[in-house]
Amino acid sequence: MGNSGILVLAEQKDGFIHKISYELLGKAKELAKELHEPVSCLMIGPAIIELEELNQRGAETVYYIKSDVFSNPEEYIYKKNIVEFINEFKPKILLVGATNFGRSLAPRIAAALKTGLTADCTDLKIDEDGNLIQIRPAFSDNILAHIKTVTYPQIATIRYKEFPEADKDESRKTNVVEIEPYMSNYVNSEVLKMFSDEKNDITEAQIVVAAGRGIKKKEDLKMIQELADKLGGVMGASRALVDAGMVSSSIQVGYSGNRVKPKIYIACGISGAPQHLAGMKESGKIIAINSDPSAPIFSVADYGYVGDIYEVVPQLIRDLTQEETWN
């Protein structure tokens, strides 16, 4: 029996389904119309997840490998169960969210199955032969590469907020099939505790204040954080600050970091390299502050101010503080 159907790997955290799962289902439904094949979902997690919304968003069948051993993300045991599932059910296409966990998990799955993987796709299409064409930017976003995997399943990871969520239809029938874990214990590693050095998820923020090469030293990020706090937003950063060890990669904005779509994006001392623009250019309103009037960031900004961030940002904080006092 050959490979058939589209499988979406749903992701959960603390028992709640990650929204990227609904985005993947939306795209999977589009592809399935051309293939005339079903869309199913695979969820691996603890016994506390309500899964009917995956059906309501388009999955004909939701397969649930349920065990408390999956409460914490541990790549090996997840990979082992997913690979065994795929070997049994043989999907033609596997879609995985390019979250931190998905980016770590997908290559392990592909290697174990001896198949290809295209990471961080921005679009997916079906060619005349019914094969998945995986589209992603290449060469600093100067071209769009069209990639076809000749082995199955064809695996692609898709960045968060790349596609709209699938519409929800509460009249759709719930069809959840529980499957016993193929492996429920792994003695070579154990997740003892999860740590996070960020209070907020930058991908969900409505206001992002981001810093770039214009920041001279780590201590100066305090003013960026203060401005973000004053506005009720979160701090972001360009790759330059991550590479310099000033901030965690969890707040990096850009092609190799997070894609964000806040209502307001304030770029402080960010020149606007293509890799960075790829992660924030679809923000609602973009405000750029840079001392270089020819900086590429101004080409995508709705509002721009040519000035030194060490003068402009403190003044903005003072103005906001004064406004709070008046109110």
Side-chain angles (χ1 to χ4, degrees), residues 135-161:
I135 303 170
R136 56 158 296 166
F139 296 103
S140 299
D141 289 349
N142 289 316
I143 67 167
L144 285 174
H146 289 60
I147 301 167
K148 179 170 70 175
T149 307
V150 297
T151 50
Y152 296 97
Q154 297 170 316
I155 306 177
T157 64
I158 293 87
R159 293 172 67 86
Y160 186 29
K161 298 193 175 180

mmCIF file with all atom_site columns, all heavy atoms in Angstrom, residues 135-161:
data_model
loop_
_atom_site.group_PDB
_atom_site.id
_atom_site.type_symbol
_atom_site.label_atom_id
_atom_site.label_alt_id
_atom_site.label_comp_id
_atom_site.label_asym_id
_atom_site.label_entity_id
_atom_site.label_seq_id
_atom_site.pdbx_PDB_ins_code
_atom_site.Cartn_x
_atom_site.Cartn_y
_atom_site.Cartn_z
_atom_site.occupancy
_atom_site.B_iso_or_equiv
_atom_site.pdbx_formal_charge
_atom_site.auth_seq_id
_atom_site.auth_comp_id
_atom_site.auth_asym_id
_atom_site.auth_atom_id
_atom_site.pdbx_PDB_model_num
ATOM 1   N N   . ILE A 1 135 ? 7.837  25.661 -0.687 1.00 0.00 ? 135 ILE A N   1
ATOM 2   C CA  . ILE A 1 135 ? 8.382  26.962 -1.097 1.00 0.00 ? 135 ILE A CA  1
ATOM 3   C C   . ILE A 1 135 ? 8.926  27.691 0.119  1.00 0.00 ? 135 ILE A C   1
ATOM 4   O O   . ILE A 1 135 ? 8.240  27.835 1.136  1.00 0.00 ? 135 ILE A O   1
ATOM 5   C CB  . ILE A 1 135 ? 7.296  27.803 -1.793 1.00 0.00 ? 135 ILE A CB  1
ATOM 6   C CG1 . ILE A 1 135 ? 6.740  27.028 -2.991 1.00 0.00 ? 135 ILE A CG1 1
ATOM 7   C CG2 . ILE A 1 135 ? 7.846  29.153 -2.235 1.00 0.00 ? 135 ILE A CG2 1
ATOM 8   C CD1 . ILE A 1 135 ? 5.505  27.650 -3.610 1.00 0.00 ? 135 ILE A CD1 1
ATOM 9   N N   . ARG A 1 136 ? 10.159 28.152 -0.012 1.00 0.00 ? 136 ARG A N   1
ATOM 10  C CA  . ARG A 1 136 ? 10.777 28.899 1.080  1.00 0.00 ? 136 ARG A CA  1
ATOM 11  C C   . ARG A 1 136 ? 11.790 29.891 0.517  1.00 0.00 ? 136 ARG A C   1
ATOM 12  O O   . ARG A 1 136 ? 12.392 29.652 -0.541 1.00 0.00 ? 136 ARG A O   1
ATOM 13  C CB  . ARG A 1 136 ? 11.476 27.972 2.064  1.00 0.00 ? 136 ARG A CB  1
ATOM 14  C CG  . ARG A 1 136 ? 12.524 27.062 1.472  1.00 0.00 ? 136 ARG A CG  1
ATOM 15  C CD  . ARG A 1 136 ? 13.502 26.600 2.539  1.00 0.00 ? 136 ARG A CD  1
ATOM 16  N NE  . ARG A 1 136 ? 14.248 27.728 3.077  1.00 0.00 ? 136 ARG A NE  1
ATOM 17  C CZ  . ARG A 1 136 ? 14.974 27.689 4.194  1.00 0.00 ? 136 ARG A CZ  1
ATOM 18  N NH1 . ARG A 1 136 ? 15.055 26.579 4.887  1.00 0.00 ? 136 ARG A NH1 1
ATOM 19  N NH2 . ARG A 1 136 ? 15.639 28.736 4.611  1.00 0.00 ? 136 ARG A NH2 1
ATOM 20  N N   . PRO A 1 137 ? 11.988 31.012 1.209  1.00 0.00 ? 137 PRO A N   1
ATOM 21  C CA  . PRO A 1 137 ? 12.991 31.977 0.748  1.00 0.00 ? 137 PRO A CA  1
ATOM 22  C C   . PRO A 1 137 ? 14.400 31.397 0.868  1.00 0.00 ? 137 PRO A C   1
ATOM 23  O O   . PRO A 1 137 ? 14.689 30.583 1.740  1.00 0.00 ? 137 PRO A O   1
ATOM 24  C CB  . PRO A 1 137 ? 12.811 33.163 1.698  1.00 0.00 ? 137 PRO A CB  1
ATOM 25  C CG  . PRO A 1 137 ? 11.461 32.979 2.302  1.00 0.00 ? 137 PRO A CG  1
ATOM 26  C CD  . PRO A 1 137 ? 11.247 31.505 2.367  1.00 0.00 ? 137 PRO A CD  1
ATOM 27  N N   . ALA A 1 138 ? 15.269 31.841 -0.025 1.00 0.00 ? 138 ALA A N   1
ATOM 28  C CA  . ALA A 1 138 ? 16.669 31.407 0.000  1.00 0.00 ? 138 ALA A CA  1
ATOM 29  C C   . ALA A 1 138 ? 17.554 32.573 -0.411 1.00 0.00 ? 138 ALA A C   1
ATOM 30  O O   . ALA A 1 138 ? 17.076 33.573 -0.955 1.00 0.00 ? 138 ALA A O   1
ATOM 31  C CB  . ALA A 1 138 ? 16.878 30.215 -0.930 1.00 0.00 ? 138 ALA A CB  1
ATOM 32  N N   . PHE A 1 139 ? 18.851 32.436 -0.153 1.00 0.00 ? 139 PHE A N   1
ATOM 33  C CA  . PHE A 1 139 ? 19.826 33.472 -0.498 1.00 0.00 ? 139 PHE A CA  1
ATOM 34  C C   . PHE A 1 139 ? 19.382 34.842 0.014  1.00 0.00 ? 139 PHE A C   1
ATOM 35  O O   . PHE A 1 139 ? 19.164 35.786 -0.751 1.00 0.00 ? 139 PHE A O   1
ATOM 36  C CB  . PHE A 1 139 ? 20.076 33.506 -2.010 1.00 0.00 ? 139 PHE A CB  1
ATOM 37  C CG  . PHE A 1 139 ? 20.706 32.250 -2.546 1.00 0.00 ? 139 PHE A CG  1
ATOM 38  C CD1 . PHE A 1 139 ? 19.935 31.321 -3.229 1.00 0.00 ? 139 PHE A CD1 1
ATOM 39  C CD2 . PHE A 1 139 ? 22.044 31.982 -2.341 1.00 0.00 ? 139 PHE A CD2 1
ATOM 40  C CE1 . PHE A 1 139 ? 20.495 30.139 -3.709 1.00 0.00 ? 139 PHE A CE1 1
ATOM 41  C CE2 . PHE A 1 139 ? 22.617 30.803 -2.819 1.00 0.00 ? 139 PHE A CE2 1
ATOM 42  C CZ  . PHE A 1 139 ? 21.846 29.889 -3.504 1.00 0.00 ? 139 PHE A CZ  1
ATOM 43  N N   . SER A 1 140 ? 19.212 34.903 1.344  1.00 0.00 ? 140 SER A N   1
ATOM 44  C CA  . SER A 1 140 ? 18.828 36.153 2.029  1.00 0.00 ? 140 SER A CA  1
ATOM 45  C C   . SER A 1 140 ? 17.528 36.727 1.486  1.00 0.00 ? 140 SER A C   1
ATOM 46  O O   . SER A 1 140 ? 17.367 37.934 1.306  1.00 0.00 ? 140 SER A O   1
ATOM 47  C CB  . SER A 1 140 ? 19.948 37.193 1.916  1.00 0.00 ? 140 SER A CB  1
ATOM 48  O OG  . SER A 1 140 ? 21.127 36.736 2.517  1.00 0.00 ? 140 SER A OG  1
ATOM 49  N N   . ASP A 1 141 ? 16.575 35.826 1.221  1.00 0.00 ? 141 ASP A N   1
ATOM 50  C CA  . ASP A 1 141 ? 15.241 36.214 0.750  1.00 0.00 ? 141 ASP A CA  1
ATOM 51  C C   . ASP A 1 141 ? 15.250 36.791 -0.652 1.00 0.00 ? 141 ASP A C   1
ATOM 52  O O   . ASP A 1 141 ? 14.276 37.420 -1.079 1.00 0.00 ? 141 ASP A O   1
ATOM 53  C CB  . ASP A 1 141 ? 14.588 37.224 1.712  1.00 0.00 ? 141 ASP A CB  1
ATOM 54  C CG  . ASP A 1 141 ? 14.174 36.589 3.015  1.00 0.00 ? 141 ASP A CG  1
ATOM 55  O OD1 . ASP A 1 141 ? 14.204 35.356 3.102  1.00 0.00 ? 141 ASP A OD1 1
ATOM 56  O OD2 . ASP A 1 141 ? 13.828 37.333 3.944  1.00 0.00 ? 141 ASP A OD2 1
ATOM 57  N N   . ASN A 1 142 ? 16.332 36.602 -1.414 1.00 0.00 ? 142 ASN A N   1
ATOM 58  C CA  . ASN A 1 142 ? 16.385 37.149 -2.764 1.00 0.00 ? 142 ASN A CA  1
ATOM 59  C C   . ASN A 1 142 ? 15.665 36.273 -3.788 1.00 0.00 ? 142 ASN A C   1
ATOM 60  O O   . ASN A 1 142 ? 15.322 36.741 -4.876 1.00 0.00 ? 142 ASN A O   1
ATOM 61  C CB  . ASN A 1 142 ? 17.843 37.350 -3.203 1.00 0.00 ? 142 ASN A CB  1
ATOM 62  C CG  . ASN A 1 142 ? 18.496 38.497 -2.452 1.00 0.00 ? 142 ASN A CG  1
ATOM 63  O OD1 . ASN A 1 142 ? 17.880 39.551 -2.302 1.00 0.00 ? 142 ASN A OD1 1
ATOM 64  N ND2 . ASN A 1 142 ? 19.702 38.299 -1.964 1.00 0.00 ? 142 ASN A ND2 1
ATOM 65  N N   . ILE A 1 143 ? 15.466 35.000 -3.466 1.00 0.00 ? 143 ILE A N   1
ATOM 66  C CA  . ILE A 1 143 ? 14.713 34.118 -4.343 1.00 0.00 ? 143 ILE A CA  1
ATOM 67  C C   . ILE A 1 143 ? 13.779 33.259 -3.506 1.00 0.00 ? 143 ILE A C   1
ATOM 68  O O   . ILE A 1 143 ? 13.950 33.131 -2.290 1.00 0.00 ? 143 ILE A O   1
ATOM 69  C CB  . ILE A 1 143 ? 15.633 33.196 -5.183 1.00 0.00 ? 143 ILE A CB  1
ATOM 70  C CG1 . ILE A 1 143 ? 16.358 32.195 -4.269 1.00 0.00 ? 143 ILE A CG1 1
ATOM 71  C CG2 . ILE A 1 143 ? 16.604 33.997 -6.032 1.00 0.00 ? 143 ILE A CG2 1
ATOM 72  C CD1 . ILE A 1 143 ? 17.035 31.067 -5.043 1.00 0.00 ? 143 ILE A CD1 1
ATOM 73  N N   . LEU A 1 144 ? 12.775 32.669 -4.178 1.00 0.00 ? 144 LEU A N   1
ATOM 74  C CA  . LEU A 1 144 ? 11.923 31.682 -3.548 1.00 0.00 ? 144 LEU A CA  1
ATOM 75  C C   . LEU A 1 144 ? 12.270 30.325 -4.138 1.00 0.00 ? 144 LEU A C   1
ATOM 76  O O   . LEU A 1 144 ? 12.090 30.096 -5.341 1.00 0.00 ? 144 LEU A O   1
ATOM 77  C CB  . LEU A 1 144 ? 10.442 32.007 -3.789 1.00 0.00 ? 144 LEU A CB  1
ATOM 78  C CG  . LEU A 1 144 ? 9.862  33.157 -2.969 1.00 0.00 ? 144 LEU A CG  1
ATOM 79  C CD1 . LEU A 1 144 ? 8.439  33.449 -3.416 1.00 0.00 ? 144 LEU A CD1 1
ATOM 80  C CD2 . LEU A 1 144 ? 9.885  32.834 -1.476 1.00 0.00 ? 144 LEU A CD2 1
ATOM 81  N N   . ALA A 1 145 ? 12.785 29.452 -3.312 1.00 0.00 ? 145 ALA A N   1
ATOM 82  C CA  . ALA A 1 145 ? 13.149 28.112 -3.769 1.00 0.00 ? 145 ALA A CA  1
ATOM 83  C C   . ALA A 1 145 ? 11.919 27.217 -3.776 1.00 0.00 ? 145 ALA A C   1
ATOM 84  O O   . ALA A 1 145 ? 11.138 27.216 -2.816 1.00 0.00 ? 145 ALA A O   1
ATOM 85  C CB  . ALA A 1 145 ? 14.221 27.522 -2.865 1.00 0.00 ? 145 ALA A CB  1
ATOM 86  N N   . HIS A 1 146 ? 11.723 26.476 -4.868 1.00 0.00 ? 146 HIS A N   1
ATOM 87  C CA  . HIS A 1 146 ? 10.639 25.497 -4.983 1.00 0.00 ? 146 HIS A CA  1
ATOM 88  C C   . HIS A 1 146 ? 11.272 24.103 -4.880 1.00 0.00 ? 146 HIS A C   1
ATOM 89  O O   . HIS A 1 146 ? 12.060 23.718 -5.734 1.00 0.00 ? 146 HIS A O   1
ATOM 90  C CB  . HIS A 1 146 ? 9.905  25.650 -6.316 1.00 0.00 ? 146 HIS A CB  1
ATOM 91  C CG  . HIS A 1 146 ? 9.067  26.887 -6.392 1.00 0.00 ? 146 HIS A CG  1
ATOM 92  N ND1 . HIS A 1 146 ? 9.589  28.162 -6.265 1.00 0.00 ? 146 HIS A ND1 1
ATOM 93  C CD2 . HIS A 1 146 ? 7.727  27.044 -6.578 1.00 0.00 ? 146 HIS A CD2 1
ATOM 94  C CE1 . HIS A 1 146 ? 8.608  29.042 -6.372 1.00 0.00 ? 146 HIS A CE1 1
ATOM 95  N NE2 . HIS A 1 146 ? 7.476  28.391 -6.551 1.00 0.00 ? 146 HIS A NE2 1
ATOM 96  N N   . ILE A 1 147 ? 10.911 23.386 -3.839 1.00 0.00 ? 147 ILE A N   1
ATOM 97  C CA  . ILE A 1 147 ? 11.583 22.123 -3.511 1.00 0.00 ? 147 ILE A CA  1
ATOM 98  C C   . ILE A 1 147 ? 10.580 20.977 -3.543 1.00 0.00 ? 147 ILE A C   1
ATOM 99  O O   . ILE A 1 147 ? 9.467  21.089 -3.007 1.00 0.00 ? 147 ILE A O   1
ATOM 100 C CB  . ILE A 1 147 ? 12.241 22.216 -2.117 1.00 0.00 ? 147 ILE A CB  1
ATOM 101 C CG1 . ILE A 1 147 ? 13.260 23.363 -2.097 1.00 0.00 ? 147 ILE A CG1 1
ATOM 102 C CG2 . ILE A 1 147 ? 12.896 20.891 -1.731 1.00 0.00 ? 147 ILE A CG2 1
ATOM 103 C CD1 . ILE A 1 147 ? 13.729 23.748 -0.716 1.00 0.00 ? 147 ILE A CD1 1
ATOM 104 N N   . LYS A 1 148 ? 10.969 19.874 -4.184 1.00 0.00 ? 148 LYS A N   1
ATOM 105 C CA  . LYS A 1 148 ? 10.133 18.675 -4.210 1.00 0.00 ? 148 LYS A CA  1
ATOM 106 C C   . LYS A 1 148 ? 10.925 17.513 -3.635 1.00 0.00 ? 148 LYS A C   1
ATOM 107 O O   . LYS A 1 148 ? 12.012 17.204 -4.117 1.00 0.00 ? 148 LYS A O   1
ATOM 108 C CB  . LYS A 1 148 ? 9.680  18.365 -5.634 1.00 0.00 ? 148 LYS A CB  1
ATOM 109 C CG  . LYS A 1 148 ? 8.820  17.108 -5.725 1.00 0.00 ? 148 LYS A CG  1
ATOM 110 C CD  . LYS A 1 148 ? 8.179  16.947 -7.086 1.00 0.00 ? 148 LYS A CD  1
ATOM 111 C CE  . LYS A 1 148 ? 9.189  16.606 -8.156 1.00 0.00 ? 148 LYS A CE  1
ATOM 112 N NZ  . LYS A 1 148 ? 8.547  16.328 -9.464 1.00 0.00 ? 148 LYS A NZ  1
ATOM 113 N N   . THR A 1 149 ? 10.366 16.881 -2.626 1.00 0.00 ? 149 THR A N   1
ATOM 114 C CA  . THR A 1 149 ? 10.985 15.704 -2.032 1.00 0.00 ? 149 THR A CA  1
ATOM 115 C C   . THR A 1 149 ? 10.513 14.472 -2.793 1.00 0.00 ? 149 THR A C   1
ATOM 116 O O   . THR A 1 149 ? 9.308  14.310 -3.025 1.00 0.00 ? 149 THR A O   1
ATOM 117 C CB  . THR A 1 149 ? 10.596 15.576 -0.546 1.00 0.00 ? 149 THR A CB  1
ATOM 118 O OG1 . THR A 1 149 ? 10.895 16.805 0.129  1.00 0.00 ? 149 THR A OG1 1
ATOM 119 C CG2 . THR A 1 149 ? 11.365 14.459 0.118  1.00 0.00 ? 149 THR A CG2 1
ATOM 120 N N   . VAL A 1 150 ? 11.445 13.604 -3.169 1.00 0.00 ? 150 VAL A N   1
ATOM 121 C CA  . VAL A 1 150 ? 11.080 12.438 -3.985 1.00 0.00 ? 150 VAL A CA  1
ATOM 122 C C   . VAL A 1 150 ? 10.832 11.195 -3.131 1.00 0.00 ? 150 VAL A C   1
ATOM 123 O O   . VAL A 1 150 ? 10.493 10.144 -3.652 1.00 0.00 ? 150 VAL A O   1
ATOM 124 C CB  . VAL A 1 150 ? 12.172 12.147 -5.042 1.00 0.00 ? 150 VAL A CB  1
ATOM 125 C CG1 . VAL A 1 150 ? 12.284 13.314 -6.012 1.00 0.00 ? 150 VAL A CG1 1
ATOM 126 C CG2 . VAL A 1 150 ? 13.518 11.864 -4.383 1.00 0.00 ? 150 VAL A CG2 1
ATOM 127 N N   . THR A 1 151 ? 11.025 11.323 -1.818 1.00 0.00 ? 151 THR A N   1
ATOM 128 C CA  . THR A 1 151 ? 10.744 10.211 -0.917 1.00 0.00 ? 151 THR A CA  1
ATOM 129 C C   . THR A 1 151 ? 9.553  10.576 -0.036 1.00 0.00 ? 151 THR A C   1
ATOM 130 O O   . THR A 1 151 ? 9.187  11.747 0.096  1.00 0.00 ? 151 THR A O   1
ATOM 131 C CB  . THR A 1 151 ? 11.970 9.905  -0.043 1.00 0.00 ? 151 THR A CB  1
ATOM 132 O OG1 . THR A 1 151 ? 12.439 11.127 0.553  1.00 0.00 ? 151 THR A OG1 1
ATOM 133 C CG2 . THR A 1 151 ? 13.084 9.292  -0.868 1.00 0.00 ? 151 THR A CG2 1
ATOM 134 N N   . TYR A 1 152 ? 8.952  9.548  0.580  1.00 0.00 ? 152 TYR A N   1
ATOM 135 C CA  . TYR A 1 152 ? 7.751  9.771  1.386  1.00 0.00 ? 152 TYR A CA  1
ATOM 136 C C   . TYR A 1 152 ? 7.970  9.315  2.826  1.00 0.00 ? 152 TYR A C   1
ATOM 137 O O   . TYR A 1 152 ? 8.740  8.383  3.063  1.00 0.00 ? 152 TYR A O   1
ATOM 138 C CB  . TYR A 1 152 ? 6.562  9.016  0.769  1.00 0.00 ? 152 TYR A CB  1
ATOM 139 C CG  . TYR A 1 152 ? 6.187  9.531  -0.590 1.00 0.00 ? 152 TYR A CG  1
ATOM 140 C CD1 . TYR A 1 152 ? 6.649  8.893  -1.741 1.00 0.00 ? 152 TYR A CD1 1
ATOM 141 C CD2 . TYR A 1 152 ? 5.385  10.661 -0.722 1.00 0.00 ? 152 TYR A CD2 1
ATOM 142 C CE1 . TYR A 1 152 ? 6.313  9.375  -3.002 1.00 0.00 ? 152 TYR A CE1 1
ATOM 143 C CE2 . TYR A 1 152 ? 5.038  11.145 -1.980 1.00 0.00 ? 152 TYR A CE2 1
ATOM 144 C CZ  . TYR A 1 152 ? 5.509  10.492 -3.110 1.00 0.00 ? 152 TYR A CZ  1
ATOM 145 O OH  . TYR A 1 152 ? 5.177  10.977 -4.339 1.00 0.00 ? 152 TYR A OH  1
ATOM 146 N N   . PRO A 1 153 ? 7.264  10.012 3.756  1.00 0.00 ? 153 PRO A N   1
ATOM 147 C CA  . PRO A 1 153 ? 6.388  11.157 3.519  1.00 0.00 ? 153 PRO A CA  1
ATOM 148 C C   . PRO A 1 153 ? 7.184  12.418 3.176  1.00 0.00 ? 153 PRO A C   1
ATOM 149 O O   . PRO A 1 153 ? 8.344  12.550 3.555  1.00 0.00 ? 153 PRO A O   1
ATOM 150 C CB  . PRO A 1 153 ? 5.661  11.318 4.853  1.00 0.00 ? 153 PRO A CB  1
ATOM 151 C CG  . PRO A 1 153 ? 6.630  10.797 5.871  1.00 0.00 ? 153 PRO A CG  1
ATOM 152 C CD  . PRO A 1 153 ? 7.322  9.655  5.189  1.00 0.00 ? 153 PRO A CD  1
ATOM 153 N N   . GLN A 1 154 ? 6.531  13.305 2.463  1.00 0.00 ? 154 GLN A N   1
ATOM 154 C CA  . GLN A 1 154 ? 7.134  14.597 2.171  1.00 0.00 ? 154 GLN A CA  1
ATOM 155 C C   . GLN A 1 154 ? 6.887  15.479 3.402  1.00 0.00 ? 154 GLN A C   1
ATOM 156 O O   . GLN A 1 154 ? 5.746  15.754 3.758  1.00 0.00 ? 154 GLN A O   1
ATOM 157 C CB  . GLN A 1 154 ? 6.500  15.199 0.917  1.00 0.00 ? 154 GLN A CB  1
ATOM 158 C CG  . GLN A 1 154 ? 6.754  14.345 -0.321 1.00 0.00 ? 154 GLN A CG  1
ATOM 159 C CD  . GLN A 1 154 ? 5.951  14.789 -1.522 1.00 0.00 ? 154 GLN A CD  1
ATOM 160 O OE1 . GLN A 1 154 ? 4.767  15.079 -1.422 1.00 0.00 ? 154 GLN A OE1 1
ATOM 161 N NE2 . GLN A 1 154 ? 6.603  14.841 -2.675 1.00 0.00 ? 154 GLN A NE2 1
ATOM 162 N N   . ILE A 1 155 ? 7.972  15.915 4.034  1.00 0.00 ? 155 ILE A N   1
ATOM 163 C CA  . ILE A 1 155 ? 7.852  16.623 5.317  1.00 0.00 ? 155 ILE A CA  1
ATOM 164 C C   . ILE A 1 155 ? 8.242  18.089 5.152  1.00 0.00 ? 155 ILE A C   1
ATOM 165 O O   . ILE A 1 155 ? 9.259  18.413 4.539  1.00 0.00 ? 155 ILE A O   1
ATOM 166 C CB  . ILE A 1 155 ? 8.744  15.980 6.394  1.00 0.00 ? 155 ILE A CB  1
ATOM 167 C CG1 . ILE A 1 155 ? 8.442  14.477 6.516  1.00 0.00 ? 155 ILE A CG1 1
ATOM 168 C CG2 . ILE A 1 155 ? 8.537  16.656 7.742  1.00 0.00 ? 155 ILE A CG2 1
ATOM 169 C CD1 . ILE A 1 155 ? 9.332  13.752 7.517  1.00 0.00 ? 155 ILE A CD1 1
ATOM 170 N N   . ALA A 1 156 ? 7.417  18.953 5.714  1.00 0.00 ? 156 ALA A N   1
ATOM 171 C CA  . ALA A 1 156 ? 7.716  20.389 5.702  1.00 0.00 ? 156 ALA A CA  1
ATOM 172 C C   . ALA A 1 156 ? 7.377  20.984 7.054  1.00 0.00 ? 156 ALA A C   1
ATOM 173 O O   . ALA A 1 156 ? 6.389  20.597 7.687  1.00 0.00 ? 156 ALA A O   1
ATOM 174 C CB  . ALA A 1 156 ? 6.910  21.097 4.609  1.00 0.00 ? 156 ALA A CB  1
ATOM 175 N N   . THR A 1 157 ? 8.224  21.912 7.507  1.00 0.00 ? 157 THR A N   1
ATOM 176 C CA  . THR A 1 157 ? 7.864  22.716 8.671  1.00 0.00 ? 157 THR A CA  1
ATOM 177 C C   . THR A 1 157 ? 7.428  24.084 8.174  1.00 0.00 ? 157 THR A C   1
ATOM 178 O O   . THR A 1 157 ? 7.971  24.620 7.201  1.00 0.00 ? 157 THR A O   1
ATOM 179 C CB  . THR A 1 157 ? 9.025  22.867 9.675  1.00 0.00 ? 157 THR A CB  1
ATOM 180 O OG1 . THR A 1 157 ? 10.108 23.585 9.058  1.00 0.00 ? 157 THR A OG1 1
ATOM 181 C CG2 . THR A 1 157 ? 9.524  21.522 10.153 1.00 0.00 ? 157 THR A CG2 1
ATOM 182 N N   . ILE A 1 158 ? 6.423  24.647 8.843  1.00 0.00 ? 158 ILE A N   1
ATOM 183 C CA  . ILE A 1 158 ? 5.832  25.921 8.429  1.00 0.00 ? 158 ILE A CA  1
ATOM 184 C C   . ILE A 1 158 ? 5.897  26.883 9.596  1.00 0.00 ? 158 ILE A C   1
ATOM 185 O O   . ILE A 1 158 ? 5.555  26.533 10.729 1.00 0.00 ? 158 ILE A O   1
ATOM 186 C CB  . ILE A 1 158 ? 4.370  25.736 7.964  1.00 0.00 ? 158 ILE A CB  1
ATOM 187 C CG1 . ILE A 1 158 ? 4.316  24.906 6.672  1.00 0.00 ? 158 ILE A CG1 1
ATOM 188 C CG2 . ILE A 1 158 ? 3.719  27.086 7.718  1.00 0.00 ? 158 ILE A CG2 1
ATOM 189 C CD1 . ILE A 1 158 ? 4.266  23.442 6.877  1.00 0.00 ? 158 ILE A CD1 1
ATOM 190 N N   . ARG A 1 159 ? 6.332  28.096 9.287  1.00 0.00 ? 159 ARG A N   1
ATOM 191 C CA  . ARG A 1 159 ? 6.488  29.099 10.335 1.00 0.00 ? 159 ARG A CA  1
ATOM 192 C C   . ARG A 1 159 ? 5.142  29.543 10.903 1.00 0.00 ? 159 ARG A C   1
ATOM 193 O O   . ARG A 1 159 ? 4.127  29.570 10.201 1.00 0.00 ? 159 ARG A O   1
ATOM 194 C CB  . ARG A 1 159 ? 7.242  30.311 9.792  1.00 0.00 ? 159 ARG A CB  1
ATOM 195 C CG  . ARG A 1 159 ? 8.681  29.997 9.432  1.00 0.00 ? 159 ARG A CG  1
ATOM 196 C CD  . ARG A 1 159 ? 9.345  31.146 8.724  1.00 0.00 ? 159 ARG A CD  1
ATOM 197 N NE  . ARG A 1 159 ? 9.522  32.300 9.600  1.00 0.00 ? 159 ARG A NE  1
ATOM 198 C CZ  . ARG A 1 159 ? 10.570 32.466 10.408 1.00 0.00 ? 159 ARG A CZ  1
ATOM 199 N NH1 . ARG A 1 159 ? 11.522 31.558 10.441 1.00 0.00 ? 159 ARG A NH1 1
ATOM 200 N NH2 . ARG A 1 159 ? 10.663 33.516 11.169 1.00 0.00 ? 159 ARG A NH2 1
ATOM 201 N N   . TYR A 1 160 ? 5.162  29.867 12.176 1.00 0.00 ? 160 TYR A N   1
ATOM 202 C CA  . TYR A 1 160 ? 3.972  30.348 12.880 1.00 0.00 ? 160 TYR A CA  1
ATOM 203 C C   . TYR A 1 160 ? 3.499  31.658 12.262 1.00 0.00 ? 160 TYR A C   1
ATOM 204 O O   . TYR A 1 160 ? 4.287  32.520 11.913 1.00 0.00 ? 160 TYR A O   1
ATOM 205 C CB  . TYR A 1 160 ? 4.326  30.537 14.355 1.00 0.00 ? 160 TYR A CB  1
ATOM 206 C CG  . TYR A 1 160 ? 3.173  30.892 15.265 1.00 0.00 ? 160 TYR A CG  1
ATOM 207 C CD1 . TYR A 1 160 ? 1.871  30.486 14.996 1.00 0.00 ? 160 TYR A CD1 1
ATOM 208 C CD2 . TYR A 1 160 ? 3.402  31.632 16.421 1.00 0.00 ? 160 TYR A CD2 1
ATOM 209 C CE1 . TYR A 1 160 ? 0.829  30.795 15.843 1.00 0.00 ? 160 TYR A CE1 1
ATOM 210 C CE2 . TYR A 1 160 ? 2.369  31.950 17.292 1.00 0.00 ? 160 TYR A CE2 1
ATOM 211 C CZ  . TYR A 1 160 ? 1.082  31.536 16.996 1.00 0.00 ? 160 TYR A CZ  1
ATOM 212 O OH  . TYR A 1 160 ? 0.048  31.858 17.847 1.00 0.00 ? 160 TYR A OH  1
ATOM 213 N N   . LYS A 1 161 ? 2.189  31.774 12.096 1.00 0.00 ? 161 LYS A N   1
ATOM 214 C CA  . LYS A 1 161 ? 1.515  32.955 11.546 1.00 0.00 ? 161 LYS A CA  1
ATOM 215 C C   . LYS A 1 161 ? 1.794  33.168 10.063 1.00 0.00 ? 161 LYS A C   1
ATOM 216 O O   . LYS A 1 161 ? 1.632  34.255 9.546  1.00 0.00 ? 161 LYS A O   1
ATOM 217 C CB  . LYS A 1 161 ? 1.856  34.204 12.359 1.00 0.00 ? 161 LYS A CB  1
ATOM 218 C CG  . LYS A 1 161 ? 1.392  34.133 13.812 1.00 0.00 ? 161 LYS A CG  1
ATOM 219 C CD  . LYS A 1 161 ? 1.448  35.461 14.519 1.00 0.00 ? 161 LYS A CD  1
ATOM 220 C CE  . LYS A 1 161 ? 0.860  35.351 15.917 1.00 0.00 ? 161 LYS A CE  1
ATOM 221 N NZ  . LYS A 1 161 ? 0.888  36.630 16.645 1.00 0.00 ? 161 LYS A NZ  1
#
